[in-house]
Amino acid sequence: MRGVLKIKAAAVATAAVAAVAVSMAPAQAHEAAVDVSHGGCKYYGYSNHGYAETYRATGSCAGHAWLRVRINGVISSWAHAPGRIDVYAPSGMSIQVSDHKSCADCSYKNIWHI
């Protein structure tokens, strides 16, 4: 019976050390992309913690790229521009969510960084 208790105690101690090691590890940068194409044009959205963009990759559509972000819990208004729109997080802040679409009335796709 004593051998079983020693094994359980060692397992608990090992798990505690592993939890501390994981909690002290630096956060990984998260980045992702989404496809928001419509019609004959290919649009993509991309973001990480510090930068977000929506852009037209191919096609000659006259439409705009649309983007909004959430930083520190505040969602921005939609921004748009012909072909490409970019947003940078202010120094010391990070993007929590980015929303991407390829026309004013299109549905959007989001990328979460939480």
Side-chain angles (χ1 to χ4, degrees):
M1 188 69 161
R2 287 184 146 209
V4 172
L5 290 177
K6 285 182 183 178
I7 291 171
K8 286 184 180 179
V12 169
T14 301
V17 169
V20 170
V22 168
S23 68
M24 293 174 59
Q28 294 288 340
H30 174 261
E31 59 185 298
V34 292
D35 182 341
V36 290
S37 300
H38 82 275
C41 292
K42 294 283 187 188
Y43 283 84
Y44 296 99
Y46 166 85
S47 70
N48 59 36
H49 290 283
Y51 171 76
E53 68 178 342
T54 304
Y55 63 95
R56 182 176 57 240
T58 62
S60 58
C61 298
H64 285 200
W66 292 75
L67 174 64
R68 70 179 178 187
V69 297
R70 183 171 78 191
I71 298 174
N72 286 355
V74 177
I75 300 172
S76 70
S77 298
W78 283 104
H80 60 97
R84 177 188 200 95
I85 185 76
D86 306 274
V87 172
Y88 290 87
S91 179
M93 298 183 183
S94 65
I95 295 171
Q96 298 165 315
V97 181
S98 62
D99 297 327
H100 309 265
K101 62 183 183 174
S102 54
C103 67
D105 297 329
C106 293
S107 61
Y108 63 89
K109 292 184 181 177
N110 50 33
I111 300 172
W112 291 79
H113 298 288
I114 299 175

